[in-house]
Amino acid sequence: MLSSEIENDILSKEDFTVKIRYDCHLHSNFSGDCDTPAERMIEKAVSLGMEGICFTEHLDIDAPGDPEFFLLDTDRYFSALLELREKWKNKLRVRIGVELGVQRHLLPDLTRYAASYPFDFIICSQHYVDGGDPYDPSYFEGRSERECYERFFQVEYESLCHFSSFDTLGHMDYVVRYGPNKNRNYSYEKYREYLDPILRLLIQNGKCLEVNTGGLKHGLGEPNPCIGILKRYRELGGELITIGSDAHIPDHLAYAFPKAASLLRELGYRYYCVFQDRKPEQLPL
């Protein structure tokens, strides 16, 4: 996506006329890949006139390369966020979540972790596959793009078959952001045999599907997951969605939310979910 296109999807308060007034996927300097103080994100949300946000800091145990890079000091995180929640309570609802990076051998540990803290909201995200990271170009070496995408979806499905301590599946087709051709040769139809089982499992287990506008920011022209997946999820009876920007800087908070709201209404969605104490509330789009 060109820089001018990115700028067009960065919101000001005057642009913020849609009903998506919660951003439920945000990072701050409690995440290893972010330098933004949490309060700066809060200030941006208030300036946009939003009703609430949920921080979802990374916890990726045993990350390739540097196993400690995405570890979360959860006690310090809760202490800081509870103070900020109290400070800003008259202007913004601040909720405390986590983005759990799942790997098959970690699922028992992540289940125990999820039960150990009073999170409002938990995102389940497949970031790594067989010890590899799609963010790293080496993940795609020696295999076709299709083989890499197929393996990602296979591993994601296997994780979901053995893990239930979450509320929404984050950026379901995350791998496509970083493929050699991104989504040029990718569509729901081409990978439906791998995607349908994931969607059916979410519906069967009453879990949400995240609509992550980071896909638009990364130049895909659509969110993660892609429009075809969002359409199919609805056809299968899926209704539970959450919406997040995956912002790491204040300017990307609520990124392209008007575009996302319009798309979702066209696909037949009427509500999105926000969570408090792991309990969902449906709000109109």
Side-chain angles (χ1 to χ4, degrees), residues 23-270:
D23 191 332
C24 294
H25 191 150
L26 296 175
H27 297 281
S28 75
N29 56 6
F30 284 100
S31 289
D33 60 349
C34 183
D35 297 323
T36 305
E39 192 159 24
R40 283 191 59 203
M41 288 296 200
I42 292 172
E43 290 167 350
K44 181 63 175 182
V46 171
S47 76
L48 290 174
M50 299 184 72
E51 292 181 15
I53 59 175
C54 186
F55 287 94
T56 52
E57 308 298 356
H58 286 293
L59 177 69
D60 280 85
I61 304 170
D62 198 18
D66 183 353
E68 297 187 359
F69 187 73
F70 282 117
L71 296 184
L72 175 62
D73 186 339
T74 312
D75 291 334
R76 189 168 67 89
Y77 171 48
F78 262 90
S79 178
L81 264 291
L82 289 172
E83 286 186 14
L84 289 172
R85 174 186 282 178
E86 179 65 21
K87 178 179 178 179
W88 290 90
K89 66 181 180 181
N90 294 325
K91 293 186 177 180
L92 187 74
R93 295 182 178 92
V94 177
R95 294 176 181 173
I96 305 172
V98 66
E99 181 179 8
L100 298 180
V102 294
Q103 298 185 68
R104 180 68 184 274
H105 66 288
L106 298 174
L107 299 184
D109 294 329
L110 294 177
T111 298
R112 287 190 291 271
Y113 173 84
S116 299
Y117 290 92
F119 289 109
D120 288 308
F121 179 53
I122 297 179
I123 299 174
C124 168
S125 291
Q126 191 74 53
H127 290 132
Y128 309 121
V129 175
D130 302 327
D133 185 352
Y135 183 81
D136 186 337
S138 65
Y139 172 81
F140 295 92
E141 292 177 359
R143 297 179 294 175
S144 70
E145 185 177 70
R146 181 175 180 90
E147 288 174 321
C148 292
Y149 288 5
E150 287 176 346
R151 182 58 183 156
F152 180 90
F153 295 131
Q154 288 172 338
V155 170
E156 189 171 48
Y157 176 70
E158 291 168 4
S159 294
L160 295 176
C161 285
H162 296 90
F163 185 64
S164 61
S165 298
F166 70 96
D167 303 305
T168 195
L169 175 62
H171 43 52
M172 176 178 164
D173 52 7
Y174 166 85
V175 65
V176 177
R177 288 185 186 177
Y178 306 109
N181 298 292
K182 294 196 173 184
N183 61 347
R184 191 183 312 161
N185 303 313
Y186 165 76
S187 67
Y188 158 74
E189 288 76 16
K190 290 181 179 179
Y191 292 85
R192 65 183 304 160
E193 65 184 288
Y194 302 97
L195 299 170
D196 273 2
I198 296 173
L199 297 176
R200 293 182 190 278
L201 193 59
L202 291 176
I203 294 168
Q204 174 185 322
N205 293 333
K207 303 297 185 182
C208 296
L209 176 66
E210 181 192 51
V211 180
N212 186 306
T213 60
L216 291 158
K217 186 174 74 247
H218 283 270
L220 302 181
E222 56 187 345
N224 295 113
C226 68
I227 293 171
I229 290 177
L230 293 173
K231 180 179 179 181
R232 179 58 173 163
Y233 178 64
R234 191 70 194 89
E235 289 173 349
L236 291 171
E239 297 181 294
L240 302 178
I241 59 170
T242 63
I243 302 172
S245 65
D246 211 345
H248 289 65
I249 62 173
D251 277 350
H252 290 160
L253 193 145
Y255 185 85
F257 273 19
K259 188 175 293 185
S262 177
L263 167 65
L264 290 168
R265 287 194 295 264
E266 287 177 11
L267 293 175
Y269 294 93
R270 294 292 176 263

